[in-house]
Amino acid sequence: MFIVFYGMDLFFCSVHLKGNDVATECYCVVVPSTATVRGSIPMGSFSLLWHRAQAESSSTPVPIETTLSLPNTSVLDVPFVITAALPSHGQVRSMLPLSYTLRNQTALIQEIEVEIESSESFMYSGQKKSHMRVAANSQQMINYNLYPNVPGYLPIPRLRLKWLRQELDDNLLKRSLPTHVFVMPVTS
């Protein structure tokens, strides 16, 4: 069985599918920061115009429109964003710079206690534990110099955050941070 998809905005426009083939489409939806949407929002529907592939001697195929309802999605307000800058790989006994950027997207000053966990795989320089204030709608950077002790795919020392003025869930923030780095052995 052959299926042909048509559509200007589809990635798989005019793709021929056979047997158990599957086509998927993915779009990124961004809610403007000025929006006051909270909770679950409906995503609408997705319509496909398709037809079965015809044999050489057949007449013009009849197009079929299929409309699928999309599920509701949750919109999460992330008042604080953490990003990490780290090289893709390092070398044993060579400096591996790691910097975290803490961005406060609220209208309040955030007081945070920052701690980096110790690791047997790395020595590091930088403050193990610090207390900082991040002004409203601004950002702060924390820099560490890691020195890998062993080669391999190593877990990066974890960053722990504790909010002192406002309780924020840091699980969502930590999902976007890198967790491992590849360290190569010393070359002779």
Side-chain angles (χ1 to χ4, degrees), residues 4 19 43 52 60 63 80 95 121 126 131 153 172 176 182:
V4 182
M43 295 299 293
R52 294 185 187 276
T60 306
F80 211 84
M95 185 179 78
S121 301
H131 180 95
Y153 190 61
L172 182 63
S176 62
F182 183 75

Side-chain angles (χ1 to χ4, degrees), residues 71-143:
N72 290 354
T73 188
S74 297
V75 176
L76 301 174
D77 185 23
V78 182
F80 211 84
V81 176
I82 303 173
T83 55
L86 177 73
S88 60
H89 65 279
Q91 189 173 7
V92 173
R93 292 188 295 245
S94 295
M95 185 179 78
L96 186 68
L98 169 63
S99 71
Y100 291 104
T101 303
L102 309 172
R103 191 171 58 233
N104 180 4
Q105 299 184 150
T106 69
L108 305 170
I109 295 173
Q110 297 293 330
E111 258 187 278
I112 306 167
E113 197 173 89
V114 180
E115 182 178 0
I116 190 163
E117 292 181 350
S118 53
S119 167
E120 292 183 15
S121 301
F122 292 96
M123 294 184 296
Y124 64 89
S125 66
Q127 293 184 340
K128 178 176 171 71
K129 191 172 188 178
S130 64
H131 180 95
M132 64 175 46
R133 289 186 179 101
V134 183
N137 297 309
S138 68
Q139 62 186 27
Q140 290 265 356
M141 286 188 73
I142 304 169
N143 298 309

Side-chain angles (χ1 to χ4, degrees), residues 6-56:
Y6 291 102
M8 296 297 289
D9 298 326
L10 296 177
F11 177 73
F12 53 86
C13 179
S14 299
V15 170
H16 296 270
L17 299 179
K18 301 175 188 174
N20 293 328
D21 289 352
V22 176
T24 60
E25 188 71 23
C26 182
Y27 288 95
C28 181
V29 178
V30 178
V31 179
S33 60
T34 57
T36 57
V37 177
R38 298 289 179 263
S40 183
I41 60 170
M43 295 299 293
S45 60
F46 187 76
S47 294
L48 293 171
L49 188 62
W50 63 277
H51 67 81
R52 294 185 187 276
Q54 72 272 13
E56 295 289 329

Side-chain angles (χ1 to χ4, degrees), residues 92 119 121-122 148-157 179-183:
V92 173
S119 167
S121 301
F122 292 96
N149 294 326
V150 293
Y153 190 61
L154 304 177
I156 299 168
T179 59
H180 290 74
V181 66
F182 183 75
V183 176

